[in-house]
Amino acid sequence: MVTKVKSALAFAVVMTLAGCQSLSGGASTPHGCGDVPTFADNVCLLDSWVAFGLEAQRGDAAWRQQVLSEIGASRAEQKAARAVVLSWDGPSEWRQASNLYKATISTAPARLQPLLQQWLNGLEERRELYAQQGAGGSRQGGNNDDTQALKRENRKLKQQLEEMSDKLDALTDIERTINSRD
């Protein structure tokens, strides 16, 4: 029974994302995995940002560089998208990502603000861990310890992101159900 429910939910998520991808219209990402999200407060708002966040997390340096070259930097939604991409780049980019998140969260649609805040919180945790490991790693023997700690933290954050994505999917389904009754 649980497996059937999970399969049905997974299918619904895929179909929802596929539907949102076809409805939205923005600059395509280099791998064709959807659009760079906007602040347009529509049914695809959360789905498009979660999908973009996952793509940024999985993307390599070349992907991030290409996306950053395609995203402008003047509008709040562009700054937020840059923050998402930079937050998955190296530690040297994390401060800029943090500043961009802080500058744009309050201008995002209300439904999107908790997700952006969660991503900022995760980034700040990584920055703090990196700073602590950097200070301790120089005394304790180094980069391997830092790398292992960052990998553990990255796995933890990926799990949290997946859990958040599942919760957002459930909320989106509830919203659709409510909207279909009108």
Side-chain angles (χ1 to χ4, degrees), residues 26-89:
S28 291
T29 58
H31 292 158
C33 296
D35 298 334
V36 174
T38 68
F39 281 175
D41 197 359
N42 58 35
V43 70
C44 298
L45 178 71
L46 294 175
D47 291 339
S48 63
W49 279 94
V50 168
F52 185 72
L54 289 170
E55 185 67 19
Q57 185 177 4
R58 294 177 187 134
D60 58 13
W63 180 88
R64 283 189 288 278
Q65 187 60 38
Q66 187 169 351
V67 170
L68 289 172
S69 70
E70 293 177 2
I71 300 174
S74 58
R75 296 190 323 249
E77 62 194 20
Q78 294 169 330
K79 291 177 182 176
R82 292 181 84 75
V84 172
V85 173
L86 291 171
S87 69
W88 292 107
D89 210 341

Side-chain angles (χ1 to χ4, degrees), residues 8-137:
L9 281 173
F11 178 75
V13 167
V14 169
M15 295 308 294
T16 299
L17 288 174
C20 287
Q21 297 298 333
S22 65
L23 292 174
S24 59
S28 291
T29 58
H31 292 158
C33 296
D35 298 334
V36 174
T38 68
F39 281 175
D41 197 359
N42 58 35
V43 70
C44 298
L45 178 71
L46 294 175
D47 291 339
S48 63
W49 279 94
V50 168
F52 185 72
L54 289 170
E55 185 67 19
Q57 185 177 4
R58 294 177 187 134
D60 58 13
W63 180 88
R64 283 189 288 278
Q65 187 60 38
Q66 187 169 351
V67 170
L68 289 172
S69 70
E70 293 177 2
I71 300 174
S74 58
R75 296 190 323 249
E77 62 194 20
Q78 294 169 330
K79 291 177 182 176
R82 292 181 84 75
V84 172
V85 173
L86 291 171
S87 69
W88 292 107
D89 210 341
S92 63
E93 305 297 336
W94 292 350
R95 179 182 309 235
Q96 182 182 2
S98 176
N99 291 338
L100 287 169
Y101 273 128
K102 291 173 184 175
T104 59
I105 288 175
S106 65
T107 62
R111 293 185 314 132
L112 183 59
Q113 289 178 8
L115 177 63
L116 295 177
Q117 185 64 54
Q118 174 69 27
W119 287 347
L120 172 61
N121 293 346
L123 174 61
E124 293 299 342
E125 287 177 15
R126 275 187 281 145
R127 287 180 69 196
E128 184 176 322
L129 178 65
Y130 184 78
Q132 289 173 355
Q133 292 298 318

Side-chain angles (χ1 to χ4, degrees), residues 120-159:
L120 172 61
N121 293 346
L123 174 61
E124 293 299 342
E125 287 177 15
R126 275 187 281 145
R127 287 180 69 196
E128 184 176 322
L129 178 65
Y130 184 78
Q132 289 173 355
Q133 292 298 318
S138 61
R139 291 189 304 268
Q140 298 173 0
N143 289 339
N144 193 33
D145 292 341
D146 293 348
T147 302
Q148 293 303 317
L150 287 172
K151 285 181 181 180
R152 282 191 303 275
E153 182 65 16
N154 194 26
R155 283 192 298 271
K156 176 183 165 192
L157 291 171
K158 283 181 183 180
Q159 181 180 0

Side-chain angles (χ1 to χ4, degrees), residues 42-43 111 172-182:
N42 58 35
V43 70
R111 293 185 314 132
T172 301
D173 290 341
I174 291 169
E175 181 181 11
R176 282 193 192 102
T177 302
I178 291 169
N179 289 340
S180 69
R181 293 180 185 169
D182 292 340

